[in-house]
Amino acid sequence: METGSSQSKGTSRAASAANISAEAFASSRPGEELSLEDMEQMARKLRRHIVTMTAKAGSGHPGGSLSAVEVVTALYFGLMRHDPANPNWPDRDRFVLSKGHAAPLLYAALAECGYFPVEELSTLRQIDSRLQGHTDRTTTPGVEMSAGALGQGLSFGIGIALAGRLDFQPYRVHVLLGDGECDEGQVWEAVMAAAHFKTDNLVAIVDHNKQQLDGWTRDIMNLEPLAPKWRSFDWHVIEIDGHDLPQVIAALETAKQVKGQPTVIIAHTTKGKGVSFMENNPEFHGRAATAEELEKALAELA
Amino acid sequence: MPVEMSAREAYGRTLVELGRENRDIVVLDADLSRSTMTSLFAREFPDRFFNCGIAEQNMMGIAAGLAASGKTVFASTFAVFATSRCFDQLRMSIAQPQLNVKIVACHGGITVGEDSFSHHSIEDLALTTSLPGLTVIVPADAIETAQAVKAAAATSGPCYIRLGRPKTPLVYAEDYRFTPGQAVTMRPGSDATIIAIGIMVALALEAAESLASQGIDCRVLNMPTLKPIDRDAIVQAASETGAIVTAEEHLEHGGLGSRVSQIVSRYRPVPMSFVAVKDTYAQSGKPHELLKRYGLAAEDIERAVQSVIPRKLSDQAHR
């Protein structure tokens, strides 16, 4: 059940000062919309968090976290109305991370927003940490869905979208899917259902980094032609460069205008983006950087 | 009230009642609404009913999303599809996050009948009781079904309610009140206890009646809440009657028998016997034929009691 107060309005400036790390930028107060330039800096900062926390944990999924950084930055520091001081605010825009292994990315964004202290990122994957290896709705403030077994997030998003419609709530629902995740049959059950129910308050974003654990998606299980597949299911399809923040923002804005059908943003991305030796290297789907690699990665992301 | 009624009919009627009282009740089905009787709710509240088509996994995810947004969600299909097909969705999307989804599945067990093994559900209780945080209820008749559905709606959290297909005898009077987590003594007795669930409760009462005529005084317990199970009632039955027979329309492993024997062996070891489907899939047939073929008839319960009492006496002699 929702427990949040309905009195909150828009983005919040209310997160307690204690939640803001000394490391945080002065311009990145919780829940507040950033300028494009600050967003670019925030994206870089999220990347640093991702490689650092996974390296510290000694495991995790940096590759698929790095590929979706701009999408998540645009949502949490730009488009979404949310309140880090009140994670259960019923009016909030939702972000559902269906590719639950990209938890480090979501944790980094939530921490920078002020849902929990940035210092807590260093507890990733440790016993008793609120930051589990894959997302857990019951432990982490701001996490909407327990995920990690792939293919379930879009269905969950449809449920939230239908509830919003029943309650005349204006919130919007964003679901981030992996491209490899689209191998799962349930994704396509949901694709069909969302169009059938005309959930135009729902946006799916496919992090199309062209790789999955065992290699290139074209070799493991070919997804192409991907855009025509979604179009034939009666979705509004937008294809973008998923690392170009203005394109990400423009696509999300366009999606708001689309009526009578859901929108999918196919974000063409690079797995491991931002760290030269992780880019397009499937090894870093599920492996963290060594101490030496981390140093090199942070130098590149400085 | 007729002497026989199907649990799913009671379910459909109760949903309509609940829908009138609470506008946050939302119902989902997977193209079986005329069998599960959610069609009654759909007719009265079309805006709060979503037919998800033949896509049960997606239905469970949608149910979870609705529940995460404050709705009390009932999701219905046949038991076999709600559990074995959707097990990961039950686990990931509903049970672990403790979302307020009531999975009410009809066509549990083998009395589905002619549709054969693909539609029989004899693993669902093993699957659902294995999930931490999921309440599992198996009502004994239409009256208990209505009560259990109302109790589930009134309690936040995930719940699996298993119903049967056929019309079955009513074992309760109209004024019966179901209490979650509590066993119900259907008949007192001191020589042995039959613990039964679902349609087996009526058969257990029939068996006890027949045993009484042979001078065997048999207690009958209905265990409508399989999880969390009423440990005290089981321990008490073991202590007071010294022998236990479980009866369920389910595989012998993983269901009622397994759960009861775990408690009995830990707290009060006594001889037990299990009336259940042995390690096999059932075939097509009329419900009563199948119950007989697979060892679930009243006579089978009777024989199980007859076999367990000598073991009890022999144990006592050796003490």
Side-chain angles (χ1 to χ4, degrees):
Chain A
M1 292 296 283
E2 297 289 343
T3 52
S5 148
S6 56
Q7 268 87 56
S8 309
K9 286 189 286 305
T11 54
S12 164
R13 284 105 181 125
S16 76
N19 283 358
I20 302 170
S21 141
E23 202 199 329
F25 293 135
S27 57
S28 61
R29 286 197 302 280
E32 206 168 332
E33 195 172 335
L34 299 186
S35 69
L36 187 59
E37 196 180 316
D38 287 343
M39 260 195 242
E40 299 279 7
Q41 292 216 51
M42 180 56 74
R44 188 166 276 260
K45 191 170 188 176
L46 297 186
R47 288 199 159 89
R48 289 201 297 272
H49 283 319
I50 291 164
V51 292
T52 306
M53 76 173 104
T54 49
K56 168 113 200 315
S59 65
H61 300 80
S65 293
L66 292 168
S67 59
V69 164
E70 280 75 16
V71 166
V72 166
T73 303
L75 286 167
Y76 275 95
F77 301 94
L79 275 98
M80 290 207 309
R81 294 183 330 135
H82 64 115
D83 181 355
N86 187 6
N88 296 322
W89 178 35
D91 294 4
R92 71 193 182 280
D93 288 327
R94 298 332 196 251
F95 175 72
V96 174
L97 182 67
S98 189
K99 45 177 287 184
H101 56 281
L105 165 59
L106 179 56
Y107 297 157
L110 291 171
E112 283 297 336
C113 285
Y115 282 87
F116 49 82
V118 171
E119 293 74 33
E120 208 168 320
L121 294 177
S122 67
T123 67
L124 175 73
R125 289 176 166 251
Q126 288 175 15
I127 194 156
D128 292 334
S129 171
R130 289 198 290 181
L131 309 182
Q132 294 287 295
H134 290 82
T135 53
D136 182 346
R137 179 185 159 82
T138 67
T139 60
T140 318
V143 166
E144 299 286 352
M145 184 188 178
S146 294
L150 294 171
Q152 303 192 27
L154 192 55
S155 307
F156 192 80
I158 294 171
I160 303 172
L162 291 174
R165 186 197 288 173
L166 283 173
D167 292 342
F168 304 102
Q169 288 270 21
Y171 64 69
R172 296 183 62 73
V173 187
H174 312 89
V175 180
L176 182 64
L177 300 156
D179 51 2
E181 184 179 12
C182 293
D183 294 353
E184 291 281 6
Q186 189 186 344
V187 171
W188 300 98
E189 293 182 3
V191 170
M192 192 185 292
H196 176 77
F197 294 131
K198 302 189 187 335
T199 48
D200 53 16
N201 50 352
L202 175 71
V203 182
I205 303 148
V206 180
D207 180 16
H208 197 10
N209 60 32
K210 326 285 190 297
Q211 289 199 325
Q212 53 198 113
L213 195 147
D214 273 347
W216 294 96
T217 54
R218 66 168 180 263
D219 299 326
I220 306 304
M221 182 48 62
N222 187 29
L223 289 162
E224 305 302 336
L226 186 58
K229 281 190 179 70
W230 288 80
R231 211 169 278 126
S232 70
F233 277 83
D234 203 22
W235 282 60
H236 182 77
V237 180
I238 304 172
E239 285 195 80
I240 58 164
D241 172 350
H243 296 307
D244 184 315
L245 269 168
Q247 281 193 41
V248 176
I249 294 163
L252 289 165
E253 289 290 359
T254 303
K256 284 186 193 171
Q257 311 308 320
V258 176
K259 298 295 168 208
Q261 62 180 159
T263 295
V264 60
I265 299 170
I266 297 176
H268 292 275
T269 58
T270 300
K271 197 153 190 166
K273 178 74 178 178
V275 179
S276 59
F277 57 91
M278 290 186 178
E279 286 190 5
N280 291 322
N281 181 355
E283 194 187 331
F284 286 98
H285 168 92
R287 166 165 104 67
T290 61
E292 206 175 306
E293 287 166 340
L294 174 63
E295 203 176 319
K296 197 165 163 234
L298 289 176
E300 288 184 21
L301 293 167
Chain B
M1 182 59 78
V3 185
E4 285 200 331
M5 186 176 176
S6 73
R8 54 203 171 104
E9 190 177 337
Y11 169 51
R13 289 184 191 179
T14 308
L15 271 185
V16 173
E17 268 180 58
L18 289 169
R20 287 178 187 148
E21 291 161 13
N22 181 354
R23 55 181 293 278
D24 278 332
I25 302 265
V26 177
V27 178
L28 309 181
D29 206 297
D31 194 39
L32 287 169
S33 67
R34 278 180 295 191
S35 291
T36 63
M37 305 297 274
T38 60
S39 54
L40 299 178
F41 183 93
R43 201 164 59 200
E44 189 153 335
F45 308 103
D47 56 329
R48 286 192 268 145
F49 175 81
F50 298 98
N51 199 325
C52 297
I54 310 163
E56 295 82 7
Q57 300 169 22
N58 183 45
M59 174 174 76
M60 294 306 175
I62 293 176
L66 281 157
S69 313
K71 300 297 175 191
T72 299
V73 187
F74 284 83
S76 288
T77 177
F78 289 176
V80 67
F81 308 135
T83 56
S84 49
R85 190 169 193 107
C86 299
F87 187 64
D88 191 34
Q89 287 74 17
L90 298 187
R91 177 176 185 271
M92 285 296 305
S93 290
I94 296 172
Q96 190 275 348
Q98 285 294 289
L99 290 167
N100 197 21
V101 177
K102 320 300 175 187
I103 300 126
V104 183
C106 68
H107 288 51
I110 58 172
T111 49
V112 173
E114 294 82 346
D115 275 345
S116 77
F117 91 95
S118 64
H119 284 54
H120 296 158
S121 186
I122 53 175
E123 312 86 358
D124 59 327
L125 301 178
L127 289 169
T128 51
T129 56
S130 74
L131 292 173
L134 183 67
T135 298
V136 178
I137 299 175
V138 188
D141 70 358
I143 288 168
E144 190 163 61
T145 297
Q147 288 281 316
V149 168
K150 284 180 190 168
T155 317
S156 186
C159 180
Y160 175 73
I161 301 180
R162 183 227 231 190
L163 311 177
R165 182 184 80 95
K167 287 189 158 98
T168 49
L170 297 182
V171 297
Y172 284 109
E174 282 279 14
D175 61 355
Y176 166 71
R177 291 291 168 264
F178 164 81
T179 309
Q182 273 186 26
V184 184
T185 305
M186 308 298 290
R187 181 191 170 106
S190 56
D191 293 335
T193 301
I194 306 168
I195 304 179
I197 51 171
I199 64 160
M200 301 305 286
V201 174
L203 298 177
L205 289 167
E206 204 181 312
E209 196 63 43
S210 170
L211 288 161
S213 67
Q214 301 157 40
I216 299 172
D217 181 26
C218 205
R219 181 180 301 185
V220 177
L221 280 188
N222 175 23
M223 192 65 69
T225 310
L226 189 53
K227 191 178 180 186
I229 202 161
D230 188 342
R231 189 183 71 192
D232 294 347
I234 296 169
V235 176
Q236 195 184 347
S239 305
E240 293 174 2
T241 70
I244 290 178
V245 170
T246 57
E248 62 196 307
E249 198 188 357
H250 185 269
L251 284 172
E252 188 177 44
H253 50 265
L256 174 72
S258 295
R259 297 191 71 76
V260 171
S261 63
Q262 206 163 30
I263 288 166
V264 167
S265 61
R266 176 163 176 195
Y267 296 99
R268 191 70 171 86
V270 296
M272 285 189 67
S273 187
F274 307 93
V275 174
V277 179
K278 305 306 171 193
D279 200 19
T280 187
Y281 298 99
Q283 56 171 313
S284 289
K286 294 199 182 346
H288 71 272
E289 291 172 336
L290 293 175
L291 289 174
K292 209 175 159 87
R293 174 66 58 90
Y294 294 97
L296 305 182
E299 307 85 74
D300 296 298
I301 301 174
E302 201 178 318
R303 270 195 294 275
V305 172
Q306 286 161 344
S307 75
V308 83
I309 288 177
R311 288 168 51 207
K312 157 186 156 177
L313 298 175
S314 135
D315 280 4
Q316 285 167 352
H318 285 93
R319 259 188 210 138

